[in-house]
Amino acid sequence: REAMAFLAKQLFETPTWLINRDLIMRASINPQASIGNVQRNVLQRIISKGTIDRLLHNETMNAAKAYTVTQMFDELRRAVWSEFSAGRQVDIYRRNLQKMYVDELIKIVAASEPVGLGITIRVGNPLPSDAVAIARLQLFELRRLLQSGAQNAHALTRAHAMDMIAQINQALEGKK
C-alpha cells in the first residue's frame, strides 16, 4: 500500500518535478518520452501476470493480512484514471500513462487467446492463472468508467476516452 501511494503521488500524477524547462530546451529532451519510459517500466512490473500471481499467492497464504490483487488494482485505477471520476481534463502525460495502462492489461488478455478449432495457445507459464480473468475484469470496469466520464469531458479528453474504449472493445470482443 505504501509503495502504491508513493508511485501514485511521485510518478503517476504528472511528475512536474521532473520537468526542467531550461534543461529540456538546452539538451533537446522530449519530456513526454523520458517520463513515459519510466512510467511504462513501472506499469509493466505492476500490471503483469507475475505480479498478479504473487498477490494471489499472498492472499492464499496470509488471508486478511494480505494486500490483495483487488486492492492493488482499485488503488492503481484511482491513481491513473482520477480525472474521469473528478470531471477534469487529462493532460498529455496522463493520457500517455493511461494508454500504457490499457496496453499492459490487453497484453495479459491477449497472451491467452483462442486460435480456432477450440485450441487456446498460452504464452509463457503453462500453469493455470487467474491473471487473464482479472485483467479482463479490469478492462470491463475501466470501460464503464470511461463511458460515464467521457460524456461531459473536454473534447480532447473525450477523444482519448473514446479511443481507449475502442481499444478495450477490440481486446475484449474483437470489435471497434
Side-chain angles (χ1 to χ4, degrees), residues 19 24 51 57 63 80 92 112 123 127 149 155-156:
I19 303 169
I24 289 167
T51 297
H57 176 73
V80 174
I92 191 165
S112 177
V123 178
L127 295 176
L156 186 55

Side-chain angles (χ1 to χ4, degrees), residues 76-157:
L76 184 59
R77 187 174 46 256
R78 278 193 303 272
V80 174
W81 299 92
S82 60
E83 295 90 350
F84 288 94
S85 54
R88 293 189 322 263
Q89 185 173 341
V90 184
D91 70 33
I92 191 165
Y93 296 97
R94 297 279 292 177
R95 288 193 306 272
N96 290 339
L97 173 68
Q98 292 167 354
K99 290 172 190 174
M100 291 180 242
Y101 183 105
V102 170
D103 287 346
E104 293 308 315
L105 288 172
I106 289 172
K107 283 181 193 175
I108 294 171
V109 170
S112 177
E113 289 296 317
V115 294
L117 303 173
I119 299 169
T120 299
I121 295 179
R122 296 192 189 276
V123 178
N125 187 348
L127 295 176
S129 171
D130 289 325
V132 173
I134 290 167
R136 196 178 308 272
L137 173 64
Q138 295 307 312
L139 288 169
F140 277 114
E141 290 180 358
L142 183 55
R143 180 172 60 186
R144 189 171 45 245
L145 173 69
L146 290 167
Q147 287 168 335
S148 67
Q151 293 175 9
N152 298 317
H154 177 272
L156 186 55
T157 297

Side-chain angles (χ1 to χ4, degrees), residues 47-68:
I47 304 174
S48 69
K49 180 185 175 301
T51 297
I52 292 169
D53 288 345
R54 282 190 297 281
L55 286 169
L56 290 170
H57 176 73
N58 188 39
E59 287 180 50
T60 301
M61 301 304 292
N62 296 305
K65 296 178 189 174
Y67 181 57
T68 68

Side-chain angles (χ1 to χ4, degrees), residues 3-48:
M4 186 61 69
F6 174 83
L7 291 172
K9 180 71 178 155
Q10 299 300 325
L11 187 62
F12 297 149
E13 285 183 18
T14 298
T16 55
W17 60 274
L18 286 174
I19 303 169
N20 180 323
R21 294 189 189 286
D22 186 47
L23 182 60
I24 289 167
M25 297 307 288
R26 288 178 190 226
S28 298
I29 294 171
N30 179 341
Q32 290 114 357
S34 299
I35 291 169
N37 287 334
V38 174
Q39 290 173 326
R40 180 178 300 280
N41 288 335
V42 171
L43 280 178
Q44 285 175 335
R45 297 197 76 181
I46 295 172
I47 304 174
S48 69

